[in-house]
Each structure stands twice: as C-alpha cells, then as structure tokens.
Amino acid sequence: MKNNHILILILIFQVLCFNSYAVEPDEIFKNSAQETKARIIFKNIRCMVCQNQSIDDSSAPLAKDLRVIIRNKIKNGESEKEIYKFLTTRYGDYILLKPPFNKNTFALWLLPFIFFIFGLFFIFHHNKKFK
Amino acid sequence: MRNKIPKLPLIFFLIVLSVFLYLLLIERNPSDVPSAFLNKNFPKFETKSLFDKEKVISQNNLKDRIVLVNFFASWCKPCRDEHIYIKKISDNEKIKLIGINYKDNKSKAQKWLKKYENPYSEVAIDKNGKIAIDWGVYGIPETFIINSKGIVKFRHVGPINEDIYKKIIFIIKSSE
C-alpha cells in the first residue's frame, strides 16, 4: 500500500516536471513568427558557459546576452544564415549544437556509418561461416 | 581468409579503444574551446577608457607591438588570482598590456586597480559585454596575445597560473 503511494507521488512529480526554459517573459517577441524563428535558433546554439545546454535552456548571463543579440538581429530582418555566421565567426562551429559537415567534422558524421557497414559485413561473414 | 575474419573486429575494436584511451590520458581540457580568431586578425573595437572619459580606445591601440589583451572585472575572483602574473608580464617591456573591463562598475573597477596595482597601459570599458562577444569570450578572465602584425597567436580561458605564465613568456619571445 505504502509502495503504491510512493508510486503515485513519483507519477505526480513526473507530470509536473515540464521542460524548464531560461527565456524570460520580457525577452519574448509579440510577433509569433519572429518568436518561433528565435526559439528555433536558440535551440541550435550552444551555451558556451554550460556547454551541454542550448541558450534556450541556459540561464547563464552570456546565454541571455546572445539571445538578446539574436532577437535584435531577427528584428532587423537578418536571415538565420546571417545570424549563424555572426556567431560562428566569433565562437567557431562549436557554438552550433548540430555541427556542419566539413573537413574538421567529417569523421564525426561518417564514422557511425562506417561502423554500421563494418558491423553488417562482420555479421554477414560470421553467419556464412556457421551455415 | 575464414580464420582471419573474426580477428578483424577485434583489431578494429582495439584500435578504436586505444584512440579513446589516448584522448582520455593526454593532458587536455575538453571544455577548452580554441578561439575562432587564432591565427587571424583580432576583432575591431572602439570604446571609452576607464580612467579618462574623453579618451577613446580602439584597435589603433593594438598596432605595431606585441599586445596582451586581458578581459577582467573587479567582481571576478579568478581575476584577482591571476593579477600577480599580469603584473609580472607587464615587467616585460616588449609587450603592451590592454585591459578590457567586462560588465563592471566603473568606480569599483578603478578602486580595484588602485588596490592591486594597475599593470595595463590602457583599460577599456566593455559595459554591456559586446566587445567580449565580438572577441568570442565566454569565461572571465580571458587572455589573448596578438603579435605586431595584429594576428591572434594565443588565447587562454580562465586565470593565468604558473604554467600559463611560462607559456605566455615563451609565446612573447617567439612572436618577436
């Protein structure tokens, strides 16, 4: 019976445990299209202080500064590409949570496929051997 | 050929494992991100001086000499820890020191420099952190070394310690 109560409590807390976002109410755009664009960009920008969070989730002062800069750029009509360029020229590709495919990142993108093909090759030969 | 096949995955696995072990064992900080300006021109800036409101400090103050640019603040404890090394570096006449006072209270920063001594030739104000963002700064204190051609040769995130101090002295000598 006691265990059931604990289980119910855990479930209640799980339901109440929404994703927490660091974006403050005064930052939010009134224009919903601009707000959507901003949030998409925020989710793809790494917080350089926390490093494993996006600036959408981070409460670090630098993350807030970057959100404000990005919002101003959106307000001025800059494209996503221009905003990403602004950030990568200052912080490198590391600031992007989804790194682009280039000479520095090709191993990161291709190694999983190489491992997969190697695995398939091994399973194929292994099965053939035991037939 | 048949006997060789089971050995292949093992060899492959061992190679991958040794690469990971090597990366774990070598002395490196994975959270230390290299500067996007390394071996490139330093970013331009223009701002006011901390000590003279009429004076403008800009990229022109960083020309024709080896320059150490240090982002610091009076509220930052690690900045105080590294200050002794900044003072030691300022003894070297070949290098010019520019301090960039990050998101600080003007009078507190002035008092801080009076208390711990001012090793900088110029101190620029970065009131809202915009200059720091233009330089790709993400952790105060941060230190850059720029050679006489205006190329960023070194960046260190965090306080300068004995090892970093020696490294800086070596870079200054090799940048001459």
Side-chain angles (χ1 to χ4, degrees):
Chain A
M1 192 60 188
K2 200 181 171 187
N3 281 348
N4 280 348
H5 283 147
I6 293 168
L7 197 70
I8 289 164
L9 265 175
I10 291 170
L11 281 172
I12 290 168
F13 281 120
Q14 280 246 286
V15 170
L16 291 174
C17 210
F18 299 109
N19 276 340
S20 59
Y21 297 108
V23 175
E24 290 166 24
D26 61 312
E27 290 179 34
I28 296 168
F29 278 128
K30 282 177 187 149
N31 180 324
S32 64
Q34 284 182 327
E35 184 58 26
T36 310
K37 187 179 173 181
R39 299 300 285 271
I40 289 168
I41 296 171
F42 295 168
K43 284 185 172 76
N44 196 27
I45 301 299
R46 187 190 303 278
C47 168
M48 297 298 289
V49 181
C50 327
Q51 299 200 349
N52 283 325
Q53 275 185 310
S54 71
I55 58 166
D56 198 56
D57 303 321
S58 172
S59 313
L62 179 64
K64 188 179 178 178
D65 289 349
L66 289 175
R67 286 197 300 266
V68 170
I69 287 174
I70 293 168
R71 284 185 187 280
N72 285 337
K73 289 190 174 293
I74 291 172
K75 223 187 271 178
N76 295 337
E78 286 188 38
S79 67
E80 269 187 53
K81 206 178 164 184
E82 285 170 316
I83 294 168
Y84 286 135
K85 198 180 171 211
F86 169 87
L87 294 164
T88 51
T89 48
R90 283 153 182 80
Y91 291 98
D93 287 341
Y94 186 75
I95 199 166
L96 304 174
L97 281 169
K98 189 180 171 187
F101 186 87
N102 59 34
K103 66 175 173 33
N104 298 320
T105 58
F106 78 94
L108 182 77
W109 284 104
L110 295 181
L111 273 178
F113 296 106
I114 293 167
F115 285 154
F116 180 69
I117 291 163
F118 191 82
L120 278 182
F121 173 79
F122 172 69
I123 291 165
F124 177 73
H125 273 275
H126 189 75
N127 286 348
K128 215 174 157 186
K129 192 183 163 186
F130 285 98
K131 263 184 186 176
Chain B
M1 182 65 191
R2 275 192 155 194
N3 289 338
K4 277 181 183 173
I5 288 168
K7 283 180 192 166
L8 266 173
L10 186 70
I11 294 165
F12 189 67
F13 174 74
L14 286 174
I15 291 169
V16 172
L17 190 74
S18 43
V19 169
F20 279 106
L21 275 175
Y22 171 74
L23 291 172
L24 270 175
L25 294 174
I26 56 165
E27 204 181 313
R28 70 186 187 112
N29 180 4
S31 61
D32 199 359
V33 185
S35 170
F37 294 101
L38 212 58
N39 294 320
K40 290 181 188 163
N41 283 311
F42 69 86
K44 288 176 180 165
F45 70 98
E46 194 174 291
T47 186
K48 282 184 178 169
S49 163
L50 179 72
F51 293 103
D52 183 354
K53 59 181 178 181
E54 303 295 317
K55 193 173 182 180
V56 171
I57 300 173
S58 70
Q59 57 274 6
N60 299 329
N61 295 75
L62 278 74
K63 274 182 179 170
D64 308 321
R65 274 186 81 174
I66 304 169
V67 182
L68 182 142
V69 177
N70 179 243
F71 286 81
F72 76 100
S74 67
W75 46 261
C76 149
K77 167 79 173 68
C79 299
R80 214 176 86 186
D81 296 340
E82 72 164 10
H83 203 66
I84 183 166
Y85 295 106
I86 298 282
K87 281 197 281 185
K88 268 166 91 175
I89 295 165
S90 72
D91 292 339
N92 189 325
E93 286 175 359
K94 285 166 188 161
I95 190 160
K96 184 178 181 181
L97 270 75
I98 304 280
I100 299 187
N101 186 231
Y102 176 80
K103 285 187 174 179
D104 209 348
N105 176 296
K106 200 176 167 182
S107 62
K108 278 184 183 169
Q110 286 171 342
K111 276 180 199 163
W112 191 86
L113 285 170
K114 203 175 174 185
K115 188 176 175 185
Y116 299 107
E117 284 181 42
N118 179 8
Y120 307 108
S121 307
E122 309 282 358
V123 183
I125 296 175
D126 184 17
K127 199 170 172 54
N128 51 16
K130 200 189 162 297
I131 299 172
I133 286 177
D134 283 342
W135 281 66
V137 168
Y138 64 90
I140 299 288
E142 259 189 53
T143 305
F144 294 80
I145 295 178
I146 295 150
N147 71 10
S148 53
K149 289 171 187 159
I151 307 292
V152 177
K153 296 310 285 180
F154 174 79
R155 189 268 287 270
H156 175 69
V157 181
I160 296 168
N161 55 27
E162 189 64 36
D163 289 342
I164 301 297
Y165 168 74
K166 283 176 186 164
K167 205 172 175 180
I168 288 173
I169 295 298
F170 175 77
I171 292 163
I172 294 167
K173 280 181 184 165
S174 54
S175 300
E176 280 167 19

